[in-house]
Amino acid sequence: MELFKKYEFNSQEQAEDKIAALPHITENLTEESYLEGDHTIVKLGYLVTNTPEWDEEGNAIVEPIYSDKYSIDVLWQGLDESPYGWKSYEIEVEGNGAHSFLGRNFGE
């Protein structure tokens, strides 16, 4: 079972802290830490909320405006709902929003 969710956090640091708090596995030989459960996390960052425009010389006609929320998408494996502490950061978007996982549509 796969679960595709989108989240917004107040800052990149808050998102990183939530990710770090998820269960991890540490490789004995290299001591590298990996996210447990084969989940896929895509850090989208502060998304552009308008349609910026530039002229042929690269000068901004309409400057980009960035969200004040830090966005990530997660493809959870083996879960039917967000992990504890993540639900309050879930968002809904029309269509797939700024990102989708190959072959998967958000909200299906």
Side-chain angles (χ1 to χ4, degrees), residues 4 6 92-100 104-108:
F4 181 3
K6 294 179 174 285
E92 294 293 326
V93 298
E94 288 188 32
N96 286 318
H99 168 264
S100 181
R104 294 158 184 92
N105 290 314
F106 180 69
E108 289 183 359

Side-chain angles (χ1 to χ4, degrees), residues 2-34:
E2 294 179 329
L3 179 65
F4 181 3
K5 290 290 186 178
K6 294 179 174 285
Y7 303 91
E8 284 185 339
F9 296 91
N10 294 322
S11 66
Q12 180 178 356
E13 180 182 18
Q14 184 184 38
E16 297 285 354
D17 288 347
K18 292 299 281 186
I19 293 167
L22 292 168
H24 283 70
I25 298 171
T26 302
E27 180 69 40
N28 289 335
L29 185 59
T30 63
E31 295 187 17
E32 290 186 55
S33 178
Y34 301 96

Side-chain angles (χ1 to χ4, degrees), residues 2-107:
E2 294 179 329
L3 179 65
F4 181 3
K5 290 290 186 178
K6 294 179 174 285
Y7 303 91
E8 284 185 339
F9 296 91
N10 294 322
S11 66
Q12 180 178 356
E13 180 182 18
Q14 184 184 38
E16 297 285 354
D17 288 347
K18 292 299 281 186
I19 293 167
L22 292 168
H24 283 70
I25 298 171
T26 302
E27 180 69 40
N28 289 335
L29 185 59
T30 63
E31 295 187 17
E32 290 186 55
S33 178
Y34 301 96
L35 192 59
E36 185 180 294
D38 294 327
H39 311 300
T40 303
I41 297 176
V42 177
K43 300 171 186 174
L44 302 171
Y46 296 95
L47 299 176
V48 175
T49 61
N50 68 337
T51 305
E53 295 179 32
W54 290 269
D55 64 20
E56 290 115 19
E57 297 170 359
N59 299 310
I61 298 169
V62 177
E63 295 279 346
I65 299 172
Y66 293 90
S67 171
D68 61 347
K69 302 289 185 183
Y70 188 85
S71 296
I72 66 171
D73 285 359
V74 182
L75 188 61
W76 301 107
Q77 299 295 329
L79 298 178
D80 57 2
E81 63 181 29
S82 291
Y84 179 78
W86 283 71
K87 182 114 178 118
S88 61
Y89 299 100
E90 285 182 21
I91 62 166
E92 294 293 326
V93 298
E94 288 188 32
N96 286 318
H99 168 264
S100 181
F101 292 99
L102 182 62
R104 294 158 184 92
N105 290 314
F106 180 69

